């Protein structure tokens, strides 16, 4: 029997996932769980780089765990855990920060972007965020990391740090590779289809939240920005709005873009938008039901968290012990 390759990924507990997070990331995580040994984390330590109310953060991390499970991640097959429950993350982060250069971190585009958005709170954690992310990944001797475009640079620095450390101390870390999904849906904003769908968008009509009720979903799709050509045809450059709706529809129904084009030939945008809205609502319905059940079963969620932390700690502890041994900390 060959060992399964290991996958690690995480999301910050920032609220409800959007349809973009679901179709672009979470659904892939679910698809990977049979073929790979998957470890998925709620990276709550990362969330402290912005100010939160303790009560909100506590709720959001529980909620994200429930969303993972509701979307189809099976806690029996994978390790699902809270980053802060495994102290090795913070410990390895410190060690790795001594092998990461200020210059490298200063080049991170996400740091520059975030720093410009929170000028009153450019904390050191925001700056060293990629080091914590490297620790997340490297602790588990991860083979593959499914990440979106915005995280590629962070994965790259994790690889550089791992290679640098290995160069000094021998093979301590596996150098992770990015996992590029076979079919990756990049879901765009419904109001400005040239930008990514994002829950930080001020305009709530621009994104679909995993927990939006069916009527809201249909309404948001009805209001989606399109073009004046009135032809349902995929052309991401000239018709970004319609093309985005077609990608979404294709993602949730499994139909190809061609099929969609044929099915809707001669029909108006209004009809199409309603069809997309209803198909999305139908896809999210069972997830929403499961989410509500899970949120009503706090004991179960706590149990998942505890087991996840135990299993993750065991693996992470081995790597951390090796790091301490190699660096002379024993
Ligand atoms: N930085 C990632 C994001 O904001 C979240 C993250 C933290 C992560 N640690 C990770 C993703 C490790 C993959 C692997 O999306």
């Amino acid at each position: 029997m060959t060992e399964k390759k290991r996958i690690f990924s995480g999301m910050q507990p920032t609220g409800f996932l959007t349809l973009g997070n679901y179709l672009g990331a979470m659904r892939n995580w679910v698809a990977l769980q049979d073929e790979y040994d998957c470890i998925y984390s709620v990276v709550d330590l990362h969330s402290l780089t912005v100010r939160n109310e303790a009560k909100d953060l506590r709720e959001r991390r529980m909620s994200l765990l429930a969303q993972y499970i509701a979307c189809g991640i099976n806690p029996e097959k994978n390790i699902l855990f809270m980053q802060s429950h495994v102290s090795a993350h913070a410990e390895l982060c410190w060690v790795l920060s001594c092998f990461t250069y200020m210059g490298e971190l200063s080049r991170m585009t996400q740091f520059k972007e975030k720093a410009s958005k929170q000028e009153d709170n450019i904390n050191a954690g925001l700056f060293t965020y990629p080091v914590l992310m490297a620790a997340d990944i490297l602790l588990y001797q991860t083979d593959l990391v499914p990440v979106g475009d915005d995280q590629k640079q962070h994965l790259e620095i994790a690889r550089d740090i791992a290679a640098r450390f290995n160069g000094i101390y021998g093979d301590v870390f596996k150098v992770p590779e990015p996992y590029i999904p076979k079919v990756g849906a990049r879901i765009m904003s419904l109001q400005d289809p040239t930008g990514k769908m994002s829950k930080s968008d001020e305009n709530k009509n621009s994104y679909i939240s995993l927990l939006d009720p069916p009527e809201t979903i249909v309404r948001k799709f009805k209001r989606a920005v399109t073009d004046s050509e009135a032809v349902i045809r995929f052309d991401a450059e000239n018709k970004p709005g319609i093309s985005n709706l077609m990608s979404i529809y294709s993602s949730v129904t499994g139909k190809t873009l061609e099929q969609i084009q044929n099915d809707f030939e001669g029909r108006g945008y209004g009809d199409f938008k309603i069809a997309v809205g209803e198909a999305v609502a139908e896809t999210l319905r069972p997830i929403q039901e499961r989410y509500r059940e899970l949120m009503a079963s706090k004991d179960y969620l706590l149990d998942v968290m505890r087991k996840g932390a135990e299993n993750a700690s065991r693996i992470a502890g081995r790597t951390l012990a090796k790091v301490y041994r190699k660096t002379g900390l024993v």
Side-chain angles (χ1 to χ4, degrees), residues 8-12 29 43 46 83 110 114 129 132-134 136-137 145-147 150-151 154:
F8 183 98
S9 203
M11 285 188 194
Q12 286 192 57
W29 290 16
V43 291
H46 276 99
Q83 182 188 35
Q110 197 175 69
K114 288 194 175 169
Y129 177 114
L132 181 57
M133 177 161 161
D136 297 342
I137 298 167
V145 185
V147 283
D150 61 330
Q151 296 298 318
H154 291 163

Side-chain angles (χ1 to χ4, degrees), residues 157-315:
I157 200 173
R159 287 166 51 84
D160 291 344
I161 298 169
R164 181 174 305 141
F165 196 93
N166 288 348
I168 305 171
Y169 296 107
D171 279 343
V172 175
F173 299 121
K174 186 165 275 176
V175 181
E177 303 279 340
Y179 175 85
I180 317 285
K182 290 177 201 98
V183 277
R186 191 171 145 81
I187 306 300
M188 312 305 276
S189 154
L190 300 182
Q191 292 297 313
D192 169 14
T194 58
K196 221 173 103 170
M197 180 179 284
S198 160
K199 68 190 147 218
S200 52
D201 206 309
E202 280 160 30
N203 185 345
K204 292 205 177 349
N205 286 323
S206 73
Y207 63 88
I208 302 292
S209 153
L210 206 66
L211 269 288
D212 276 345
E215 320 77 75
T216 309
I217 296 176
V218 173
R219 177 174 48 76
K220 286 182 177 178
F221 276 106
K222 278 189 189 159
R223 291 191 187 164
V225 169
T226 49
D227 55 68
S228 54
E229 194 194 30
V231 178
I232 296 163
R233 169 170 69 82
F234 193 90
D235 176 350
E237 195 161 323
N238 299 307
K239 293 166 72 66
I242 280 295
S243 302
N244 186 38
L245 297 183
M246 288 177 77
S247 307
I248 294 173
Y249 194 63
S250 163
S251 282
V252 297
T253 60
K255 291 187 182 172
T256 64
L257 297 173
E258 259 181 345
Q259 270 174 309
I260 298 170
Q261 196 166 315
N262 292 335
D263 288 356
F264 285 90
E265 206 186 320
R267 290 171 63 186
Y269 286 173
D271 275 4
F272 182 52
K273 287 175 171 178
I274 292 173
V276 180
E278 286 176 349
V280 168
E282 208 44 54
T283 301
L284 298 185
R285 186 195 312 277
I287 297 176
Q288 299 183 347
E289 279 169 15
R290 183 88 182 99
Y291 174 77
R292 293 201 182 90
E293 282 165 22
L294 287 161
M295 288 304 278
S297 334
K298 289 276 152 56
D299 286 348
Y300 171 74
L301 292 175
L302 290 171
D303 205 44
V304 168
M305 270 189 211
R306 205 189 46 246
K307 287 204 190 101
E310 266 168 33
N311 291 329
S313 293
R314 202 170 322 115
I315 306 172

